[in-house]
Amino acid sequence: GLTGRLQNVFSKLRGKGKVSEDDVNEAMREVRLALLEADVNFKVVKEFVAKVKEKSIGKEVMDSFTPGMIIIDIVNKELTELMGGSQAKLAKANKGPTVIMMVGLQGAGKTTTSAKLAKLLQKQNSRPLLVAADIYRPAAIKQLEVLGEQIKVPVFSLGDKVSPVEIAKQGLQHAKDNGNDYLIVDTAGRLHIDEELMEELRQIHTEVNPDEVLLVVDAMTGQDAVNVADNFNTQLTLTGVVLTKLDGDTRGGAALSVKAVTGCPIKFAALGEKIDALEPFHPERMASRILGMGDMLSLIEKAQSNIDVEKAKEMERKMRNAEFTFDDFLEQMDQVKKLGPLDQIMDMIPGMGKMKQAKDIKVDDKQMGRIEAIVFSMTKQEKQHPEMIDHKRRKRIATGSGTNIAEVNRLIKQFDEMRRMMKQFSDMMGPKGPKGKAM
Ligand code: GDP
Ligand code: MG
């Protein structure tokens, strides 16, 4: 899938000590292919790749300590922008009920989403009213009534012998009379867009003057969903899109293209058939989901603002040349501590959480303090040449640090282990990432 392919591109980038313009071009070629394969609109892909390339090819990025990381970060930010940047909120009427009209093709998920949205609003202490305005699909009214019953939200219906325009009109009056603050109108769909459907929707629109016209599209249909959105938007002026079936095996194309092609923000995402499987759409979260990196991104940001680049570079050199000493170890611990509680950092690094469990390595901050005390009790020589610390010296260090000899033994034994751990950490942050690992 898209996530796997992008991760491949990035692990290649991270594996490079220096990133050249050719590397960026090669990476962007692969990003381009990955996006096209994920059914993202080709124009969108073209513009996206051009933007990322422009920001990535530059002295600032390429000369940095973590060029691969910065490029991943650029891709993440641009993906977020592509999907609208920040979360698009639902409109609220100044006066009277906020009217939300749900439109879309048959089977997209309008009826289900109407009920889900009602549930979401109800949780925020609103009093929504659902309106059953699909008189064509057999049992569509019943479907909405059953869902309404399930979530204890009233459903307004007049059967299937009254016109949808009339149902919507009376539904709005009912909401006003009963103090409902949201009116959600579930409309009919067709298998394809046709003039008859559009005309009816326009009439309902004129009648109830909605604050929101939400187009419900099936994310599984990829670019078709985007074309449908574009088409509806020219005929009806949408205020937002709801992407459904994101729980399925979607290729991501719809999520990535809708905003760029139609100018309409995605306001909600549906991730399942269950009634509470609807959430406000967060471009940022979707981007990290597509990149498959979750908290890794926040760790990258933290590292970029907190790690002393010069020191880290020097440390890396030392580790590679096996010159790493207890002094460096202390300094490295300082750097790592700047990122936050150690436990959390470890959990943010893919693979580290598992390693922590498997090796039963204690990495809480209290433990760090004891380790520091032991190292502080070593002489300058001992810190530089750990191999010279014999039994007698260990006893002295234990006494001096207020620990015991077993702990000193363990630390020295674990020094190698820790060094490897720090090395792995430094690999994560630095340019010489292990090929194909972690991310
Ligand atoms: P409508 O014709 O647009 O009103 O579509 P429905 O609301 O009747 O939904 C059509 C089918 O899609 C139903 O079987 C729903 O359970 C299913 N569905 C709707 N949203 C989702 C979703 O987010 N995930 C999954 N897996 N199925 C969904
Ligand atoms: Mg329906």
Side-chain angles (χ1 to χ4, degrees):
L2 179 57
T3 301
R5 291 198 58 162
L6 290 177
Q7 286 181 336
N8 276 346
V9 179
F10 294 146
S11 76
K12 263 190 234 164
L13 267 186
R14 282 194 323 107
K16 300 218 181 281
K18 264 260 175 263
V19 174
S20 69
E21 195 166 327
D22 280 348
D23 294 332
V24 173
N25 283 332
E26 171 63 17
M28 288 310 125
R29 238 191 316 275
E30 285 171 37
V31 167
R32 186 174 151 269
L33 284 175
L35 291 174
L36 286 174
E37 199 167 276
D39 212 15
V40 180
N41 175 285
F42 80 94
K43 256 180 84 182
V44 173
V45 173
K46 205 173 148 195
E47 280 167 28
F48 177 82
V49 168
K51 225 183 259 174
V52 172
K53 209 188 266 187
E54 191 198 307
K55 293 194 173 167
S56 301
I57 296 179
K59 207 173 144 32
E60 224 170 282
V61 176
M62 302 216 212
D63 286 353
S64 82
F65 176 57
T66 57
M69 290 292 187
I70 295 178
I71 294 172
I72 296 169
D73 197 41
I74 291 170
V75 171
N76 178 47
K77 291 208 165 95
E78 289 302 322
L79 279 180
T80 305
E81 266 321 295
L82 194 59
M83 290 182 285
S86 56
Q87 194 214 328
K89 297 243 161 60
L90 204 59
K92 182 93 184 75
N94 290 326
K95 200 171 138 271
T98 299
V99 178
I100 303 169
M101 197 173 153
M102 308 295 281
V103 303
L105 295 183
Q106 195 170 313
K110 287 179 301 304
T111 305
T112 318
T113 305
S114 297
K116 287 175 176 172
L117 185 54
K119 169 100 198 259
L120 209 63
L121 291 167
Q122 190 189 43
K123 266 200 273 182
Q124 296 162 11
N125 296 318
S126 287
R127 296 189 56 230
L129 174 69
L130 285 160
V131 177
D134 179 1
I135 61 168
Y136 309 105
R137 195 176 185 179
I141 297 172
K142 187 79 195 153
Q143 184 191 0
L144 193 63
E145 282 172 349
V146 169
L147 290 168
E149 180 106 351
Q150 206 181 317
I151 56 174
K152 307 267 176 297
V153 167
V155 175
F156 182 86
S157 77
L158 294 172
D160 58 6
K161 302 288 181 281
V162 180
S163 84
V165 180
E166 185 62 25
I167 295 170
K169 179 183 167 188
Q170 290 196 32
L172 177 56
Q173 191 55 51
H174 187 90
K176 284 177 179 165
D177 295 344
N178 290 273
N180 296 107
D181 50 2
Y182 283 92
L183 185 77
I184 301 170
V185 185
D186 178 31
T187 67
R190 298 271 201 284
L191 286 175
H192 301 284
I193 296 171
D194 63 46
E195 188 41 43
E196 204 185 337
L197 166 71
M198 283 300 173
E199 185 48 36
E200 182 180 296
L201 293 176
R202 275 193 290 264
Q203 282 178 25
I204 296 176
H205 192 286
T206 306
E207 192 59 54
V208 297
N209 188 27
D211 302 283
E212 289 276 2
V213 183
L214 296 182
L215 175 74
V216 179
V217 290
D218 180 342
M220 307 257 277
T221 61
Q223 278 205 65
D224 279 344
V226 180
N227 294 336
V228 167
D230 207 23
N231 209 319
F232 264 86
N233 194 36
T234 50
Q235 306 210 42
L236 208 66
T237 310
L238 306 170
T239 60
V241 172
V242 180
L243 271 188
T244 62
K245 310 185 194 182
L246 274 170
D247 51 310
D249 186 24
T250 63
R251 289 181 290 168
L256 287 170
S257 317
V258 162
K259 174 67 169 57
V261 171
T262 67
C264 265
I266 299 168
K267 293 201 170 169
F268 294 94
L271 296 127
E273 294 193 71
K274 288 218 185 92
I275 202 88
D276 50 9
L278 183 77
E279 43 186 65
F281 183 80
H282 293 275
E284 215 182 286
R285 286 184 211 165
M286 189 66 191
S288 339
R289 202 184 127 189
I290 287 169
L291 292 176
M293 44 197 357
D295 281 344
M296 193 59 210
L297 288 165
S298 51
L299 186 60
I300 291 172
E301 281 188 354
K302 269 189 179 181
Q304 278 171 5
S305 55
N306 285 317
I307 284 190
D308 185 323
V309 171
E310 284 314 311
K311 270 189 193 166
K313 270 185 180 168
E314 173 62 9
M315 213 59 89
E316 236 221 3
R317 192 190 62 75
K318 282 185 171 174
M319 281 190 191
R320 221 173 288 131
N321 300 332
E323 292 168 20
F324 195 70
T325 67
F326 268 113
D327 273 329
D328 302 323
F329 178 66
L330 275 185
E331 217 172 277
Q332 189 81 335
M333 283 215 310
D334 264 352
Q335 294 271 322
V336 172
K337 275 198 290 193
K338 281 187 204 159
L339 296 178
L342 199 54
D343 245 11
Q344 284 176 27
I345 298 166
M346 301 294 277
D347 290 338
M348 279 194 263
I349 302 173
M352 285 298 239
K354 242 185 267 157
M355 177 170 147
K356 207 172 74 183
Q357 279 174 348
K359 304 222 165 168
D360 196 26
I361 295 171
K362 273 261 203 277
V363 285
D364 56 281
D365 297 302
K366 216 173 112 200
Q367 182 81 2
M368 289 275 268
R370 291 179 78 83
I371 290 170
E372 271 178 342
I374 292 172
V375 179
F376 281 139
S377 294
M378 294 176 184
T379 66
K380 209 173 157 190
Q381 256 193 328
E382 285 164 351
K383 281 187 233 170
Q384 299 292 328
H385 306 281
E387 65 280 357
M388 73 181 284
I389 309 175
D390 57 15
H391 183 73
K392 217 176 117 197
R393 287 175 188 270
R394 288 179 196 213
K395 253 173 94 176
R396 194 207 74 241
I397 292 167
T399 313
S401 59
T403 59
N404 57 55
I405 198 152
E407 268 181 278
V408 175
N409 281 340
R410 203 179 314 132
L411 174 63
I412 293 170
K413 199 172 147 232
Q414 279 184 351
F415 180 68
D416 262 348
E417 187 95 20
M418 290 261 183
R419 192 156 48 167
R420 243 176 292 148
M421 198 164 89
M422 292 295 182
K423 168 116 171 65
Q424 191 177 345
F425 179 78
S426 141
D427 282 344
M428 292 298 307
M429 311 316 296
K432 287 263 183 238
K435 281 203 172 67
K437 257 189 101 186
M439 270 202 229

